[in-house]
Amino acid sequence: QDIRDCPGPLSALTELNAAVKEKFRHLRGRIQELEQMAKEQDKESEKQALLREVENHKKQMLSNQAAWRKANLACKIAIDNSEKDQLLQGRDILRQRKTTKESLAESASNITESLMGISRMMSQQVQQSEETVQTLANSSRTIQEANEEFKSMSGTIQLGRKLITKYNRRELTDKLLIFLALALFLATVLYILKKRLFPFL
């Protein structure tokens, strides 16, 4: 809107566009950083959420760029028409100079306000992106710590399982030895009874 309403001259519009291009370049870099952060996430849900956020930022940026181009075209047409009107009027040179100075002062004021507005908008977007990146970094650290704890618990559980299996095998061996000892004892008793009671057999 500020570019569309820029009263001119073309040099003022050029300066305003240069500032806007720099802001778009900076915003594009931040979006790329956010996209790289999303690709590095281990959890698929967080990765997809970040990628959706990146896509929304890209769409918003493309929309702003399209509006910016349209505003530039409209402003250039308006400036060209204004310069043509000034040339066709051919009125008092002093009045024209005075009007030009006032127009330049007003244009400079409008450009300054426009740049401040764009700067505030870009700053807010960058701050939001930084907060999102920080939140994701904290979440990633929490997930990594939980993963380490799970790995430690898994090792303990596996060791316990091995010990239980070992004890079960030993218990089975002990039962078998007791059974064999009992069988041998009974066989010995029966043999002694046989020799005492039935020596003729």
Side-chain angles (χ1 to χ4, degrees):
Q1 184 65 34
D2 293 330
I3 293 177
R4 187 184 298 274
D5 296 336
C6 179
L10 288 175
S11 59
L13 180 62
T14 301
E15 293 177 0
L16 185 59
N17 281 325
V20 174
K21 286 179 181 179
E22 180 62 22
K23 296 297 181 181
F24 271 121
R25 186 190 66 78
H26 183 69
L27 179 60
R28 190 179 296 109
R30 299 300 294 177
I31 291 175
Q32 289 176 353
E33 291 178 4
L34 184 61
E35 185 175 12
Q36 183 63 31
M37 175 65 71
K39 292 179 179 179
E40 293 175 356
Q41 293 302 308
D42 295 329
K43 195 172 182 179
E44 189 63 22
S45 59
E46 293 183 357
K47 179 179 179 181
Q48 293 301 324
L50 271 182
L51 289 176
R52 286 194 295 271
E53 185 71 16
V54 169
E55 192 64 24
N56 291 335
H57 283 304
K58 286 183 178 180
K59 290 181 179 178
Q60 183 64 37
M61 186 178 66
L62 291 176
S63 176
N64 289 336
Q65 287 178 337
W68 174 45
R69 294 190 188 96
K70 291 180 181 179
N72 263 291
L73 181 60
C75 183
K76 288 180 180 178
I77 293 174
I79 292 175
D80 289 339
N81 292 334
S82 177
E83 290 178 351
K84 288 179 182 178
D85 292 338
Q86 289 179 2
L87 291 174
L88 291 175
Q89 286 175 2
R91 295 186 177 180
D92 189 11
I93 296 176
L94 294 177
R95 183 182 300 174
Q96 187 176 11
R97 288 179 180 176
K98 183 179 179 181
T99 303
T100 303
K101 290 181 180 179
E102 292 176 353
S103 177
L104 287 174
E106 185 179 356
S107 298
S109 177
N110 291 335
I111 291 171
T112 301
E113 292 178 0
S114 300
L115 288 174
M116 291 177 64
I118 292 173
S119 178
R120 286 192 297 269
M121 180 186 67
M122 295 297 181
S123 178
Q124 290 175 356
Q125 291 182 350
V126 171
Q127 184 177 0
Q128 290 177 356
S129 298
E130 290 177 350
E131 291 176 355
T132 302
V133 171
Q134 185 62 33
T135 301
L136 289 174
N138 293 335
S139 299
S140 179
R141 283 195 296 270
T142 302
I143 292 172
Q144 289 177 356
E145 292 174 358
N147 189 27
E148 292 297 328
E149 292 181 1
F150 287 147
K151 287 181 179 179
S152 177
M153 292 175 62
S154 177
T156 304
I157 292 172
Q158 289 179 358
L159 179 60
R161 184 181 295 112
K162 289 180 181 179
L163 291 174
I164 291 172
T165 303
K166 182 178 180 180
Y167 290 145
N168 288 336
R169 290 177 180 174
R170 183 170 295 177
E171 182 181 3
L172 180 61
T173 303
D174 292 342
K175 288 181 178 179
L176 182 60
L177 290 175
I178 291 171
F179 176 77
L180 291 175
L182 181 61
L184 180 61
F185 175 75
L186 291 175
T188 303
V189 171
L190 290 174
Y191 178 77
I192 293 172
L193 289 175
K194 178 184 177 183
K195 288 297 182 181
R196 293 290 179 87
L197 298 177
F198 308 100
F200 50 89
L201 291 179

